[in-house]
Amino acid sequence: MNLIDQHVTILPTDAADATLVGRVHDDAIGGPCIVTLRSGAVVDITDVFPTMTDLLESPDPVKAVRSAVGTRSWPIADVLASSLAARTGAPYLLAPVDLSVLKAAGVTFATSLLERLIEERAGGDPEQADAIRGDFERLIGSTLSSIEPGSEDAARLKEDLKARGQWSQYLEVGLGPDPEVFTKAPVLSAVGCGSEIGVAQVSSWNNPEPEVALAVSSTGRIVGAMLGNDVNLRDVEGRSALLLPKAKDNNASASLGPFIRLLDESFTLDDVRAAEVRLQVLGEDDGFVLDDVSYMREISRDISTLAEYTVGDAHQYPDGIVLYTGTLFSPTHDRGGEGMGFTHHIGDVVRISSPKLGTLVNRVNHSEKAQRWEFGLRSFIANLHGRGLVGKVGA
């Protein structure tokens, strides 16, 4: 099955008006380049911005990108073909961030909160999930979506659920004053559009999490947005929330791209707040098709609130962060049999799309068999040094 066909467009529908920046791997230099899109070409601006963090930390990233002089360029069609098929020798897309810390907000939508409660009650057993889902939906399903976290109404609901014996740590972060924000994966470990995403072999109940991810500067300012896949092992997290690192952080389990769209006159925070995020999963071995949409307008905490909570006086990120903002749903469509819900099969093609952000597409493999992550910070620094760029970093 092809990662892309004639019905899928990787770039935003209004790409001609967008300020798009990203990273590509170039075999000729053995490392990453910072690029922007101009008139159908991917333009290398690494000599001006050796790292994406340098660009995002500039006082006016949009102005800086538009005035940056490029040194080389490649047709966007060639870069996309190299990214989405067998590597052709042309540069291919990487995750569009480098030194930013990869953070994620959890339980930010009422529906996803319900799914976390179900995982917890089921103890990671998908066969129990369907019956438990019905019980919870009857009890609190219509209530959660109308309550603002941290409000007096939320506090009353918390007390009512405690009295019913239905309290959960997920309800604390879903209804309480403090959101759940965790470190998704190590710096530089995210994969880009066209690469394989990974689920650990230990898992038999897992899912994609289609999300909008924010590019946030060291001052807490949101400067751009992109698409993300916060791959999750539902059975592992369902056994214990303390296993969240195992459920979330595995090789190739964080995907970002295809590009960062910087906030400018054609794309604002209100566009992010209004985004519709479509998830498609196409099964290679069984012909399974999942097609659903997540609406950012249904998020329980505003994106600015999440960014301000994460970056502030209590915790600094001098190289900025990427913040996955959460997903409206965890797929529940039966795949392996009635009541079994959804889980990935090896070879699944996952497409996450939004009109103003484009399409992030990846194929599923086991984390143990996906391309090993070996280009870490030491390799990155050595590569920049060999290209004479180290003295320019942070300048």
Side-chain angles (χ1 to χ4, degrees):
M1 182 182 299
N2 293 328
L3 285 176
I4 187 169
D5 57 36
Q6 65 271 25
H7 304 296
V8 178
T9 302
I10 295 297
L11 298 180
T13 54
D14 61 341
D17 298 321
T19 308
L20 298 171
V21 294
R23 296 167 67 239
V24 300
H25 175 88
D26 182 10
D27 285 340
I29 60 171
C33 301
I34 307 302
V35 298
T36 187
L37 267 67
R38 295 175 180 164
S39 303
V42 177
V43 179
D44 183 357
I45 55 173
T46 313
D47 278 1
V48 183
F49 300 107
T51 73
M52 182 59 74
T53 289
D54 285 309
L55 191 162
L56 299 177
E57 288 293 312
S58 62
D60 187 341
V62 172
K63 181 179 179 181
V65 167
R66 291 175 178 173
S67 62
V69 176
T71 56
R72 302 177 297 163
S73 66
W74 307 272
I76 180 62
D78 291 351
V79 173
L80 293 180
S82 184
S83 303
L84 297 167
R87 305 301 190 208
T88 61
Y92 59 86
L93 291 173
L94 300 170
V97 295
D98 41 40
L99 299 180
S100 300
V101 176
L102 305 179
K103 308 291 285 188
V107 199
T108 53
F109 290 83
T111 305
S112 63
L113 171 54
L114 279 174
E115 290 303 315
R116 299 290 85 78
L117 296 172
I118 291 162
E119 288 170 9
E120 183 179 51
R121 289 291 190 272
D125 182 358
E127 294 188 30
Q128 299 184 40
D130 202 39
I132 296 171
R133 182 175 296 107
D135 291 341
F136 268 115
E137 287 175 348
R138 286 188 293 272
L139 178 64
I140 55 177
S142 61
T143 305
L144 286 176
S145 60
S146 62
I147 291 182
E148 179 183 353
S151 66
E152 292 183 3
D153 287 341
R156 281 192 290 269
L157 178 57
K158 284 166 59 178
E159 292 304 314
D160 177 58
L161 291 168
K162 282 183 180 180
R164 294 170 179 257
Q166 297 291 343
W167 183 241
S168 164
Q169 54 206 334
Y170 291 109
L171 287 168
E172 176 58 44
V173 295
L175 297 176
D178 296 307
E180 177 190 24
V181 180
F182 56 92
T183 299
K184 164 63 180 177
V187 171
L188 280 177
S189 67
V191 301
C193 183
S195 296
E196 289 184 329
I197 50 173
V199 294
Q201 288 178 331
V202 70
S203 176
S204 60
W205 187 23
N206 45 69
N207 64 277
E209 292 193 358
E211 306 185 13
V212 172
L214 307 174
V216 184
S217 75
S218 60
T219 63
R221 178 171 57 118
I222 300 172
V223 296
M226 70 208 86
L227 295 169
N229 188 346
D230 177 14
V231 182
N232 184 45
L233 310 183
R234 300 192 67 184
D235 44 5
V236 173
E237 186 179 358
R239 283 160 45 205
S240 170
L242 295 179
L243 291 172
L244 184 67
K246 177 61 180 174
K248 291 290 189 178
D249 183 8
N250 297 286
N251 183 43
S253 66
S255 177
L256 291 166
F259 296 92
I260 298 172
R261 182 164 187 173
L262 297 179
L263 300 184
D264 61 10
E265 63 277 2
S266 70
F267 184 67
T268 68
L269 283 181
D270 284 338
D271 289 305
V272 179
R273 294 182 176 107
E276 297 183 359
V277 182
R278 183 182 183 188
L279 168 67
Q280 294 175 295
V281 178
L282 309 176
E284 183 175 55
D285 62 348
D286 60 355
F288 176 84
V289 176
L290 184 153
D291 195 338
D292 214 335
V293 179
S294 176
Y295 301 94
M296 285 293 289
R297 65 174 180 266
E298 296 186 25
I299 198 168
S300 60
R301 302 180 195 264
D302 187 70
I303 53 175
S304 293
T305 301
L306 292 172
E308 291 165 3
Y309 181 90
T310 307
V311 180
D313 291 339
H315 207 321
Q316 293 80 52
Y317 295 90
D319 298 313
I321 67 168
V322 167
L323 181 59
Y324 289 82
T325 57
T327 186
L328 174 63
F329 63 91
S330 296
T332 59
H333 306 69
D334 286 339
R335 186 174 194 178
E338 186 176 353
M340 291 294 291
F342 172 88
T343 196
H344 270 309
H345 289 194
I346 301 305
D348 281 353
V349 172
V350 181
R351 295 172 180 163
I352 298 171
S353 60
S354 190
K356 286 183 173 288
L357 293 173
T359 300
L360 174 63
V361 56
N362 304 98
R363 188 186 300 276
V364 175
N365 201 348
H366 284 131
S367 293
E368 294 84 350
K369 297 178 182 178
Q371 182 176 353
R372 292 177 61 84
W373 174 44
E374 296 177 331
F375 194 85
L377 284 168
R378 289 186 302 157
S379 297
F380 187 37
I381 293 168
N383 182 268
L384 292 176
H385 183 271
R387 295 156 62 187
L389 296 172
V390 167
K392 297 183 179 181
V393 174

